[in-house]
């Protein structure tokens, strides 16, 4: 497979003096972004970043970390993953090997029967494996029955996890507010994502509600709460917010609306252009 990569078009059109003008714009734009990045790194802006199991507050050289997802959260997550491990093992592993793997899994699950959810999960898994061993095969109906029994288990695990995470986020936000004393208008929330776009939706909703209920100033929540699916470092968060600040300034100046660069600029006229082009392309042949 050919390893194609994104092409750099900052110097286009290469056959014209306009290419040099384009480069000039990008250099000056980069300088403006650096201006905003400097404001962040010098502590004029508070960054609150949700990443891995932590919430990190960064204001200049001062950085504080708070654990959001503790051992209880990861235990619940592992419990939910155990059911999917059972499903995939039965689906993809020869029966004798699957039996040995799942016997070990069941032994480990037995240690989680101290709570009601763990007991339900252990009982449902034990029944499934007993039925599969008796039949010598895994009928789809067995899996559906297993899934049905697990519905209340998943509901409890999800509610407990969401409640725990929300509680920890609010406690941390209270501590951050007391420690740094920054106005909400000078605070940006960045959520780092994961392999799925749905990741960290709870944190995003908590931050949005926190902004909406801020007593110090009316804040544009969409501007101050940012999702970065591929972010991994604080430097990524600084770059994201510096870009947002530069783009907002540029959009307000040239496009008359601060949010205009929150989308592809051509998206502003997309419907009209598509309609025109579509009509032309669909004209019947003469």
């Amino acid at each position: 497979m050919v390893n194609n990569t994104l092409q750099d078009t900052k110097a286009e059109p290469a056959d014209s003096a306009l290419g040099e003008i384009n480069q000039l714009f990008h250099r000056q734009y980069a300088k403006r972004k650096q201006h905003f990045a400097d404001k962040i790194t010098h502590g004029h802006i508070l960054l609150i970043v949700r990443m891995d199991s932590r919430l990190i507050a960064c204001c200049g050289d001062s950085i504080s970390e708070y654990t959001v997802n503790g051992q209880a959260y990861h235990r619940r997550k592992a419990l939910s993953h155990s059911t999917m491990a059972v499903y995939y093992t039965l689906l993809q592993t020869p029966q004798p090997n699957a039996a040995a793997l799942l016997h070990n899994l069941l032994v480990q699950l037995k240690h989680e029967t101290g709570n009601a959810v763990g007991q339900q999960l252990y009982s449902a898994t034990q029944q499934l494996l007993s039925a599969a061993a008796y039949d010598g095969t895994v009928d789809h109906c067995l899996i559906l029955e297993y899934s049905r029994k697990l519905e209340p288990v998943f509901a409890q695990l999800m509610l407990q996890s969401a409640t725990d995470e929300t509680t920890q986020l609010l406690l941390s936000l209270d501590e951050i507010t007391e420690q740094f004393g920054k106005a909400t208008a000078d605070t940006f929330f960045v959520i780092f994502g994961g392999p799925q776009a749905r990741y960290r939706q709870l944190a995003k909703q908590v931050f949005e509600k926190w902004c909406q209920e801020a007593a110090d100033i009316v804040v544009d929540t969409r501007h101050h709460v940012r999702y970065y699916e591929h972010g991994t470092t604080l430097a990524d968060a600084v770059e994201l917010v510096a870009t947002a600040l530069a783009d907002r300034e540029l959009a307000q100046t040239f496009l008359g609306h601060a949010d205009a660069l929150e989308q592809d600029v051509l998206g502003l006229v997309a419907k009209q252009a598509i309609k025109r082009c579509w009509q032309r392309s669909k004209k019947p042949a003469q």
Side-chain angles (χ1 to χ4, degrees):
M1 184 178 293
V2 178
N3 184 24
N4 286 325
T5 58
L6 289 174
Q7 296 178 347
D8 187 350
T9 60
K10 292 185 178 71
E12 296 293 341
D15 60 351
S16 166
L18 288 174
E20 295 181 12
I21 294 175
N22 199 15
Q23 287 179 293
L24 174 63
F25 158 71
H26 283 288
R27 286 197 301 271
Q28 297 301 325
Y29 174 69
K31 284 176 63 177
R32 193 59 179 165
K33 278 179 56 176
Q34 188 59 52
H35 162 77
F36 287 114
D38 290 342
K39 286 189 65 175
I40 298 169
T41 56
H42 291 157
H44 298 291
I45 290 172
L46 170 63
L47 286 186
I48 299 176
V49 185
R50 179 72 174 95
M51 59 190 297
D52 49 59
S53 295
R54 299 169 295 167
L55 189 67
I56 298 179
C58 176
C59 190
D61 295 329
S62 180
I63 299 176
S64 298
E65 295 187 8
Y66 306 84
T67 299
V68 176
N69 300 134
Q71 290 303 307
Y73 173 89
H74 290 295
R75 184 173 288 110
R76 295 187 197 103
K77 190 172 182 180
L79 282 173
S80 65
H81 283 174
S82 71
T83 63
M84 300 165 204
V86 168
Y87 168 69
Y88 281 129
T89 301
L90 290 173
L91 183 70
Q92 301 174 152
T93 309
Q95 204 276 334
N97 296 339
L101 283 171
L102 295 177
H103 172 74
N104 292 335
L105 181 147
L106 201 59
V107 169
Q108 293 166 10
L109 280 179
K110 195 170 185 178
H111 295 298
E112 298 295 330
T113 56
N115 61 74
V117 172
Q119 178 62 58
Q120 287 177 280
L121 198 153
Y122 171 79
S123 176
T125 303
Q126 186 181 46
Q127 291 174 24
L128 170 66
L129 299 183
S130 296
Y134 179 80
D135 292 343
T137 185
V138 182
D139 185 271
H140 186 60
C141 291
L142 290 178
I143 297 296
L144 290 178
E145 178 64 16
Y146 181 55
S147 174
R148 186 189 65 77
K149 290 178 181 177
L150 291 175
E151 287 177 3
V153 174
F154 283 131
Q156 292 179 68
L157 287 173
M158 287 189 291
L159 181 58
Q160 289 173 4
S161 296
T163 301
D164 180 61
E165 179 162 338
T166 302
T167 300
Q168 294 305 316
L169 282 171
L170 292 176
L171 288 172
S172 300
L173 289 172
D174 282 335
E175 289 187 37
I176 291 168
T177 300
E178 184 175 348
Q179 178 183 352
F180 294 102
K182 284 286 187 183
T184 311
D186 296 322
T187 303
F188 280 80
F189 302 83
V190 179
I191 303 100
F192 285 168
Q196 301 91 17
R198 67 176 182 274
Y199 207 52
R200 300 286 184 223
Q201 281 299 306
L202 186 148
K204 185 172 183 289
Q205 291 178 50
V206 169
F207 293 155
E208 288 173 344
K209 189 170 180 62
W210 183 270
C211 285
Q212 290 161 3
E213 296 187 357
D216 50 3
I217 194 169
V218 177
V219 171
D220 182 349
T221 302
R222 291 177 300 172
H223 182 52
H224 286 265
V225 180
R226 298 275 164 171
Y227 181 81
Y228 190 4
E229 188 167 335
H230 303 293
T232 58
T233 67
L234 284 178
D236 290 336
V238 171
E239 170 74 12
L240 179 72
V241 174
T243 301
L245 290 167
D247 285 357
R248 190 175 183 84
E249 178 184 69
L250 197 61
Q252 184 68 64
T253 302
F254 285 98
L255 298 175
H257 196 286
D259 295 332
L261 290 179
E262 292 294 313
Q263 61 177 311
D264 178 0
V265 68
L266 295 184
L268 298 172
V269 294
K271 287 185 179 179
Q272 185 178 0
I274 290 171
K275 183 177 180 180
R276 288 182 179 180
C277 295
W278 210 274
Q279 290 172 342
R280 292 173 191 160
S281 66
K282 296 300 180 181
K283 283 184 178 179
Q286 298 298 324

